[in-house]
Amino acid sequence: MIRIVFLGLILAAMPLAATAHNVIASVFPAGRDIEGEIGFSNGSMADDQRVEVFDAQGTRLGETVTDEDGFFLYTPTEPVTHVFRADLGAGHVAEMTMPAEEVAAIMGVAAPESDPAETAPDAPAEGAAPAASLTEEERAAIAEIVRSELRPLRQEIAADRTRNDLQTILGGIGYIMGLFGLGFYLAARRRLAA
C-alpha cells in the first residue's frame, strides 16, 4: 500500500508538458490597405487587441484594433517601412514588418530611393484581360473574396508549422520509454521480493 502511495506521489510530481503556445502573426497587402492577423498556435485568435504602428526608426505612425477573428486593417499614409507591434500580455509580443517597397506598391507610389522604372507594372499576359477593364469596385470585391478564402488556409498553415516539431516528437517518445522503464523496474522489484 505504501508503495502505491509513493508511486502516486512520484507520478503527481512529474513535470507535465508545458501548455505554452507561440504567437502567430503576419501582415500582407490587401488592396490599398495592410491586413494583418494575430493569434496563437493553439488556434485562438487575439480579438479586440490594440496594434501600434511604427516606422523603422520607431516613430509612431498610428494604431488599429483586431476584430473578433484576430484580423486588422491599416491604411498607410507614408511609403515607409511599417512595424506592427501588439502586446498580448504574459510576455507575448507580436511584431510584424512590411518593407517600404511593399507599402509603396500598396499606395501606388514610387518606393523611396528606387528607380520608378523598377516599380512600373508588368504588361498583362497574352490573352489576359487588361487590368484597366475592371472598375475599382470590382477589384475591391475580388480582393475581398480572395482574402476571405485565404484566411483559414493561412491560419492552418501557421498553426501546423509550430504544432509538431521534432523536439515535441522526441519528447513524446522519451516519455513513453520512461514509462516502460518504470514498468520494468516495478516488475523486477516484485520478482525479487517474491
Side-chain angles (χ1 to χ4, degrees), residues 1-158:
M1 178 68 180
I2 294 176
R3 288 182 182 171
I4 294 175
V5 171
F6 184 68
L7 179 62
L9 289 174
I10 289 175
L11 290 175
M14 287 178 53
L16 298 175
T19 58
H21 43 261
N22 296 328
V23 174
I24 297 174
S26 61
V27 291
F28 37 88
R32 297 283 181 207
D33 297 322
I34 298 172
E35 185 174 7
E37 64 179 329
I38 302 173
F40 297 98
S41 59
N42 66 1
S44 65
M45 300 307 287
D47 61 337
D48 197 35
Q49 179 66 49
R50 183 171 65 113
V51 180
E52 293 180 298
V53 185
F54 301 93
D55 66 7
Q57 289 73 34
T59 305
R60 191 169 189 275
L61 300 174
E63 72 177 48
T64 185
V65 178
T66 60
D67 63 12
E68 65 274 357
D69 295 323
F71 287 92
F72 65 86
L73 280 177
Y74 180 79
T75 305
T77 56
E78 300 177 42
V80 297
T81 298
H82 282 56
V83 179
F84 297 86
R85 191 172 299 135
D87 184 359
L88 306 173
H92 297 295
V93 176
E95 186 170 305
M96 301 87 39
T97 302
M98 181 172 279
E101 295 79 24
E102 290 184 37
V103 176
I106 289 171
M107 295 178 67
V109 298
E113 301 177 17
S114 67
D115 182 15
E118 292 177 1
T119 59
D122 295 333
E126 187 175 322
S133 66
L134 297 174
T135 65
E136 196 61 38
E137 294 82 24
E138 291 171 331
R139 288 181 190 187
I142 291 171
E144 179 59 34
I145 291 168
V146 170
R147 279 195 304 275
S148 66
E149 292 294 322
L150 289 178
R151 279 181 179 177
L153 295 175
R154 281 194 304 265
Q155 290 173 344
E156 286 181 34
I157 290 170

